[in-house]
Amino acid sequence: GPPQVRRNLLNIIAVVRLGGGDVDPNTRASWAFVDALGQASEQGIGARVAHVLLPDDSEVEVGDAQNANHASAANTRQTDPSLPPGVSIATAMARAHAVLARRFGGRYAMLFLKDANEARPVQREAGNPFAPPLRSGAPRWSDCERAFAKAHKRGFRARAKYEFKKKTGKDKKHAPNVDDDAVAKDLAVTLGDIADLTASSSAAKYVTDATSFLERRGVEGPAGLVNGLYFTAQHAQAMGADLTSLAFHYAQRELAAAARAVFSGELTDELADADPRGAYGWAHRNAVTKRSAFLEKSRDT
């Protein structure tokens, strides 16, 4: 396989809306972007990848009784029978992903998204048994729930071990086993919160916080950022490309710039160590001056 990456010089953020159906071009672009990044990760490409899942933009923010009365009427794209009226698959996935990222970390949000993506309907090319499967549409929420339960269980147990080490100073391997009933109880409460249409939903607040953070920086989805370089599906279309191919074009360009910097002596271990953010800082050296607002990691998202 490829060599181990000592310093990460490629950071990709996908801002996507994962709705159902293949009619909306933004939905198709979002799922294709997620699919391509997943395949790249499986092939061992050395990049740090993160996702921001956006809610369905046809939905009404439910924060009071008046909005609640009109929520189901605004959600004409709600088709999954496992979800309550007023919550689309895009919004439910955005909430589930945000909860895992906020409570347990990006690793478990990524696990959820990977399994949910693999649960999408598969179509195979007729007459070609060797062609890779093509996914279309969105997964069922019941499949998403199973993906969420798997990621939640792992994240819940890992968090418990972390808290044990933080509290006692002992190695995590000495942490007591987490009771299955505690995991199941927390899972049920969390899934209920994801489907909650009231203003008390923590999952809905997490999504609102993330989308507000993006909006304040001029980021609209579906879009991507490669080392801070922001581009949208519309930018890609104007260049005769799609979101995925433009993302990998910019990634190749950044890797070529890094190689030139290493050979010229502009980038060395010592220089990277001198930056407060290490190699991450060098990779984002010109991000503020690039096409649009630079989205940086924030504890608020």
Side-chain angles (χ1 to χ4, degrees):
Q4 294 294 315
V5 176
R6 181 182 175 197
R7 294 185 183 275
N8 194 339
L9 296 176
L10 196 58
N11 302 276
I12 303 174
I13 301 175
V15 184
V16 293
R17 180 174 287 109
L18 302 179
D22 291 318
V23 176
D24 181 13
N26 286 335
T27 297
R28 292 199 306 270
S30 293
W31 278 116
F33 199 10
V34 168
D35 223 359
L37 290 176
Q39 292 176 22
S41 178
E42 291 178 357
Q43 292 169 7
I45 293 179
R48 179 185 289 111
V49 177
H51 301 82
V52 180
L53 272 58
L54 302 175
D56 192 332
D57 57 6
S58 72
E59 292 183 354
V60 173
E61 290 292 329
V62 180
D64 54 51
Q66 182 178 4
N67 282 343
N69 291 334
H70 296 287
S72 59
N75 287 284
T76 57
R77 284 188 274 180
Q78 160 61 31
T79 58
D80 197 304
S82 299
L83 287 168
V87 179
S88 69
I89 188 68
T91 294
M93 288 190 66
R95 291 182 178 186
H97 186 270
V99 166
L100 291 168
R102 182 70 68 94
R103 290 187 59 188
F104 307 130
R107 174 186 300 180
Y108 303 99
M110 184 80 77
L111 175 61
F112 160 73
L113 184 55
K114 174 181 178 294
D115 288 348
N117 182 44
E118 291 178 352
R120 295 167 61 204
V122 174
Q123 297 178 347
R124 296 190 178 275
E125 183 179 338
N128 186 355
F130 303 106
L134 298 176
R135 298 186 178 96
S136 64
R140 296 174 300 178
W141 178 242
S142 56
D143 292 324
C144 292
E145 281 188 325
R146 282 190 286 273
F148 184 86
K150 174 182 174 180
H152 170 273
K153 183 176 182 178
R154 293 186 182 182
F156 191 92
R157 293 184 185 280
R159 183 69 185 180
K161 290 182 178 180
Y162 168 80
E163 294 292 348
F164 171 83
K165 181 178 180 180
K166 182 179 179 181
K167 182 178 180 180
T168 66
K170 298 179 180 179
D171 192 278
K172 290 187 288 187
K173 66 182 181 181
H174 299 299
N177 293 328
V178 178
D179 184 76
D180 287 341
D181 290 340
V183 177
K185 181 178 180 180
D186 187 79
L187 174 64
V189 171
T190 306
L191 286 173
D193 181 71
I194 289 171
D196 189 355
L197 284 173
T198 70
S200 63
S201 170
S202 297
K205 182 179 183 303
Y206 295 156
V207 173
T208 300
D209 289 346
T211 53
S212 297
F213 179 86
L214 294 174
E215 289 171 0
R216 291 195 301 269
R217 285 154 180 81
V219 176
E220 299 179 355
L225 293 102
V226 175
N227 286 2
L229 174 61
Y230 168 59
F231 53 93
T232 67
Q234 286 70 34
H235 292 148
Q237 185 177 12
M239 298 172 68
D242 55 40
L243 191 64
T244 301
S245 58
L246 187 56
F248 284 107
H249 167 73
Y250 284 140
Q252 290 175 344
R253 197 173 76 175
E254 285 293 293
L255 290 176
R260 289 193 299 270
V262 170
F263 285 123
S264 67
E266 177 189 348
L267 176 60
T268 64
D269 285 339
E270 292 74 17
L271 289 173
D273 290 335
D275 190 296
R277 297 181 298 172
Y280 182 85
W282 185 90
H284 293 80
R285 61 207 175 281
N286 298 319
V288 176
T289 62
K290 292 180 181 179
R291 181 175 299 167
S292 184
F294 166 46
L295 176 64
E296 191 171 3
K297 281 187 171 181
S298 171
R299 296 182 66 181
D300 296 329
T301 62

